[in-house]
């Protein structure tokens, strides 16, 4: 029997495809990277089906690329060497919400919107950290790429919120990791050997995660947005230090857009939350007082007339602020997500503007401060999808931003294959060898999303 027939035997003929029209969609994403080739797309429903597909692929040396929402924009779910795209969207059960121990156990295809809506309806006092990404992206895909959501400035990146997972190795073993390996409660990751790290940040190159337990957090009743602005780029690190020193934030962005004029400043967007109105007022007052005193006063202004549309965008979860940056009106958008030390922000700020201007783009920033230790500095580029030159320029701008990121001592988050190679060139050679050893042990036939994390 041919491969299509064998896959159809596992998932049923309606859940596998090799038609040109469907493969077209799976061979590209909405970023600026080049399309790839896909031979089959397959949508499993159970962990046993995932296992059977992997055993088949491993036996026949067919590459497998796991896919959640497919929205990293950096072509991480576009196969580099053809083969199977394993689309997880049919595995969409919310298996358990444990209120007291505050976690959600979800299958790999559960979308951000589905979990959010379910919690809102059934557990309104709890929330999960929701990324700014489109609502159909998966909870699991996001956590596995070390994504960050609307409470990450307060609680940390989303991969830190993982309690454990069920994962299928390319050789077919189904493993449970975290407290779920010794207990029926998926409430904690340790104290155990910290195995989730074998699957976090690996871009699906070590196995397929079928279930994941994610921490939930208290959802305060009140929320509000405040904005402050300055033109002193050099003072950004000190301002971030003072803002985070207050320890009162829920969410925290730095934004700038060269158009309209009033946004052409460094703008601090601070989201505060609380369970009592007085608590919210106290927090807002504290930020105002802090900035009044900052560097002797007069450096940072409070924006008391934040336009309602912008205010709403940051009040919403997810905020979708990046949508504002479609200056080209062609719907294309990609960014280098630089994870930078906070003191390198002024240098990156100036470089990003230079790169945008070099390629005739309007500079637009949405950066998110992650706890008080680092920043996701987005070198954002919008482009017209119908214009090949524009797309090519975006790829060049991304590459330059990747290099600047590394020069500044940062790392590229969810980087495309080119960015991964740049990072591996800079990486300690023994660390590169360790990465290869781990990969070879878990995926001896090299079938999992090949091309990624290869030196
Ligand atoms: C406008 C916009 C704004 C964004 N803002 C944010 C933001 O604020 N925060 C943020 O974190 N991200 C953001 N993103 C980036 C990205 O969309 C999200 O991180 C998204 O959550 C990724 O999830 P996904 O389901 O699309 O993952 P995918 O793209 O499907 O997968 C990501 C990687 O994980 C692997 N993978 C997926 N599922 C599995 C699995 N079950 N087992 C093993 N490997 C798997 C894939 O092979 C791939 O390498 C944004 C994107 C856009 C377009």
């Amino acid at each position: 029997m041919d491969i299509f027939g064998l896959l159809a035997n596992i998932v049923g003929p309606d859940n596998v495809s090799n038609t040109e029209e469907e493969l077209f969609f799976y061979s590209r994403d909405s970023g600026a990277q080049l399309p790839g080739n896909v031979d089959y797309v397959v949508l499993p429903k159970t962990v046993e089906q995932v296992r059977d597909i992997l055993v088949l692929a491993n036996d026949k040396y067919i590459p497998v690329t796991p896919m959640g929402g497919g929205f990293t924009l950096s072509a991480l779910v576009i196969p580099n060497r053809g083969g199977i795209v394993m689309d997880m969207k049919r595995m969409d059960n919310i298996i358990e919400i444990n209120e007291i121990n505050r976690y959600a156990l979800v299958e790999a295809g559960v979308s951000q919107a589905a979990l959010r809506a379910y919690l809102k309806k059934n557990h309104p006092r709890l929330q999960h950290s929701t990324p700014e990404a489109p609502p159909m992206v998966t909870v699991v895909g996001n956590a596995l790429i070390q994504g960050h959501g609307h409470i990450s400035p307060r609680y940390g990146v989303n991969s830190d919120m993982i309690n454990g997972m069920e994962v299928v190795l390319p050789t077919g073993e189904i493993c449970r990791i975290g407290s779920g390996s010794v207990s029926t409660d998926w409430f904690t990751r340790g104290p155990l050997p910290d195995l989730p790290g074998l699957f976090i940040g690996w871009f699906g190159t070590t196995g397929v995660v079928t279930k994941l337990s994610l921490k939930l957090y208290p959802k305060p009743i009140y929320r509000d947005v405040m904005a402050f602005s300055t033109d002193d780029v050099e003072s950004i690190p000190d301002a971030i230090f003072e803002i985070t020193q207050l320890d009162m934030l829920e969410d925290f962005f730095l934004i700038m857009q060269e158009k309209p004029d009033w946004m052409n400043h460094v703008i601090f967007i601070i989201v505060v939350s609380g369970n009592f109105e007085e608590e919210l007022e106290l927090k807002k007052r504290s930020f105002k007082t802090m900035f009044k005193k900052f560097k002797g006063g007069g450096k940072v202004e409070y924006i008391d007339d934040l336009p309602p549309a912008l205010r709403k965008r940051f009040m919403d979860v997810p905020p979708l602020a990046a949508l504002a940056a479609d200056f080209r009106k062609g719907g294309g958008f990609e960014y280098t997500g630089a994870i930078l030390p906070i003191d390198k922000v002024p240098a990156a700020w100036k470089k990003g503007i230079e790169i945008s201007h070099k390629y005739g783009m309007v500079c637009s920033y949405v950066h998110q401060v992650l706890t008080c230790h680092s920043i996701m500095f987005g070198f954002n580029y919008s482009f017209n999808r119908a214009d090949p030159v524009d797309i090519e320029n975006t790829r060049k701008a991304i590459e330059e931003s990747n290099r600047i990121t590394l020069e500044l001592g940062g790392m590229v988050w969810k980087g495309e294959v080119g960015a991964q190679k740049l990072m591996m060139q800079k990486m300690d050679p023994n660390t590169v060898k360790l990465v290869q050893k781990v990969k070879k042990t878990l995926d001896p036939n090299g079938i999992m999303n090949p091309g990624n994390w290869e030196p």
Side-chain angles (χ1 to χ4, degrees), residues 251-280:
D251 204 350
F252 180 14
F253 296 97
L254 254 72
I255 63 171
M256 186 280 278
Q257 270 180 208
E258 289 179 314
K259 287 180 185 163
D261 287 345
W262 76 267
M263 283 187 76
N264 196 2
H265 304 281
V266 179
I267 303 179
F268 301 99
I269 300 278
I270 293 174
V271 179
V272 285
S273 62
N275 286 301
F276 305 98
E277 284 181 47
E278 299 87 327
E279 186 188 349
L280 208 62

Side-chain angles (χ1 to χ4, degrees), residues 366-439:
V366 181
H367 314 311
Q368 195 181 28
V369 178
L370 303 171
T371 65
C372 44
H373 302 101
S374 64
I375 186 166
M376 196 295 292
F377 188 103
F379 292 89
N380 297 348
Y381 304 109
S382 64
F383 58 91
N384 181 353
R385 264 179 225 294
D387 181 348
V389 177
D390 218 16
I391 299 176
E392 171 71 20
N393 280 341
T394 302
R395 278 201 298 274
K396 288 184 190 158
I398 293 279
E399 203 200 320
E400 285 181 37
S401 313
N402 293 342
R403 288 184 188 278
I404 294 294
T405 301
L406 291 175
E407 274 169 30
L408 291 174
M411 281 158 289
V412 180
W413 163 60
K414 67 171 180 63
E416 68 285 359
V417 165
Q420 296 166 32
K421 286 203 190 300
L422 279 182
M423 283 196 279
M424 291 188 101
Q425 279 163 21
K426 212 185 161 200
M427 206 179 263
D428 169 8
N430 279 337
T431 310
V432 174
K433 277 191 201 152
L434 179 60
V435 168
Q436 288 175 298
K437 257 190 200 172
V438 171
K439 165 80 179 162

Side-chain angles (χ1 to χ4, degrees), residues 284-301:
K284 291 198 300 195
R285 235 179 18 250
S286 304
F287 284 110
K288 285 184 191 167
T289 308
M290 185 277 290
F291 273 130
K292 263 191 199 137
K293 295 184 187 160
F294 180 68
K295 293 196 185 270
K299 279 260 177 203
V300 179
E301 278 177 35

Side-chain angles (χ1 to χ4, degrees), residues 66 68-72 131-133 137-138 142 145 147-148 203-204 207 209 335 413:
F71 259 102
T72 59
E132 197 191 332
V137 307
T138 60
N142 177 262
I145 59 162
H148 43 89
F203 305 147
V209 174
Y335 61 109
W413 163 60

